[in-house]
Amino acid sequence: MNEPIPVTRTVDHGTAKLMPDLDRPRAWLLTVDGAPQSYVDLDDPGHLEFEYARRLAHVLDATGEPGAPLDALHLGGGALTLPRYLAATRPGSRQQVIEADGGVLELVAEQLPLPPDGAGITVRRADARAALEAAPDASADVIVADVFGGSRVPAHLTSVAYARAAARVLRPGGAYAANLADSAPFTFLRSQLATFRSVFVEVCLIAEPAVLRGRRFGNAVLVASQSELPVGALARRTAADAFPARVEYGAALERFTGDAAPVRDEDAVPSPEPPGGAFSVG
């Protein structure tokens, strides 16, 4: 049997590579300009290789009634890791995926296609904020934002106006979850917490202790809702991961946020550039 071979393609925003995982027969890593974007196992969509993806999945698992279908809006598509996960764990879910890079969409559709029936997943090429602002009121149970221009979160997805659009689109009891990245002194991450706390009643942050202590650059998942967050369930799930994370909430989160101010559109900046080698793959 022939081994799968890597695929390299010029896409809208750089060079994309699909690299097979030789330990898992139908698993692939997607990178763009060397930065990991997605890992997907076509035979086992419940297998999440990246820790931040597991943390986002914990939010999906804890939203709504256990196992019940969800209406999900994914901002950022990549190889459709989390849409595939949700389709497998909550059959009948309706999911819309927004991806700005048409080249990535074509590559994934060609090399890592969805099942013939689509599994309830609709993929559309569009800007994440434009799609969010065009979405109907109260149309999503969960919004997952995993949008990176290269290795940075775009500035227009960091402001109060953007957070308000997310709040409008969520149904009562719904949750917004975003993959962010930063390091000490956490200027960007603290500004995002201040921004979402100015719009949402409840906010928490999931990250590894080493990242929160400023020892290294890394991912952090921001979760926001107008209803009570399942902080206990999230804490238990993230603590049990191979790389355990901590859930910051309440007074501890207030201390971490400090005197950071909410971000206006006119002041918005992208997340910081990762230090050399932080996320790159050869």
Side-chain angles (χ1 to χ4, degrees):
M1 182 176 179
N2 293 330
E3 290 187 353
I5 60 174
V7 178
T8 301
R9 187 80 53 85
T10 299
V11 294
D12 298 2
H13 300 114
T15 299
K17 290 184 180 180
L18 275 174
M19 294 179 283
D21 183 343
L22 300 182
D23 294 326
R24 301 180 72 91
R26 298 184 70 221
W28 296 82
L29 171 67
L30 170 67
T31 69
V32 177
D33 288 343
Q37 298 292 323
S38 301
Y39 177 102
V40 62
D41 187 332
L42 298 179
D43 288 336
D44 182 8
H47 175 75
L48 302 176
E49 188 77 7
F50 295 162
E51 288 300 322
Y52 82 81
R54 288 180 60 83
R55 291 163 195 153
L56 290 169
H58 293 327
V59 177
L60 295 176
D61 292 343
T63 298
E65 293 297 320
L70 295 176
D71 287 342
L73 174 61
H74 299 265
L75 305 178
L80 310 179
T81 303
L82 287 169
R84 298 175 202 262
Y85 173 86
L86 190 61
T89 58
R90 292 179 180 248
S93 293
R94 296 181 298 181
Q95 304 184 73
Q96 183 164 152
V97 181
I98 305 299
E99 172 59 55
D101 194 314
V104 167
L105 288 180
E106 291 177 7
L107 176 63
V108 171
E110 174 188 304
Q111 300 292 327
L112 310 174
L114 291 167
D117 64 0
I121 301 169
T122 302
V123 183
R124 182 161 63 91
R125 181 184 181 185
D127 173 77
R129 178 155 168 184
L132 180 66
E133 291 177 340
D137 293 358
S139 57
D141 298 308
V142 64
I143 299 171
V144 177
D146 188 12
V147 186
F148 283 78
S151 53
R152 307 177 74 182
V153 178
H156 69 304
L157 306 183
T158 68
S159 69
V160 171
Y162 166 79
R164 286 175 178 158
R168 177 186 59 78
V169 172
L170 283 173
R171 292 178 179 143
Y176 170 91
N179 178 34
L180 307 174
D182 200 1
S183 62
F186 300 112
T187 303
F188 174 76
L189 191 53
R190 286 173 167 147
S191 76
Q192 289 307 284
L193 290 167
T195 296
F196 279 81
R197 286 177 62 202
S198 74
V199 174
F200 286 88
V201 173
E202 294 258 305
V203 176
C204 72
L205 186 70
I206 309 170
E208 288 181 36
V211 172
L212 293 172
R213 293 182 187 127
R215 294 179 181 171
R216 65 176 182 83
F217 189 96
N219 296 94
V221 170
L222 182 153
V223 188
S225 179
Q226 303 294 25
S227 303
E228 183 177 357
L229 286 170
V231 175
L234 292 175
R236 289 189 295 273
R237 289 171 182 267
T238 57
D241 284 338
F243 294 92
R246 195 167 75 214
V247 178
E248 294 286 3
Y249 177 74
L253 191 64
E254 289 184 19
R255 289 193 296 271
F256 182 86
T257 306
D259 60 359
V263 177
R264 302 179 300 171
D265 271 332
E266 52 267 37
D267 302 323
V269 297
S271 64
E273 189 77 42
F279 295 139
S280 62
V281 173

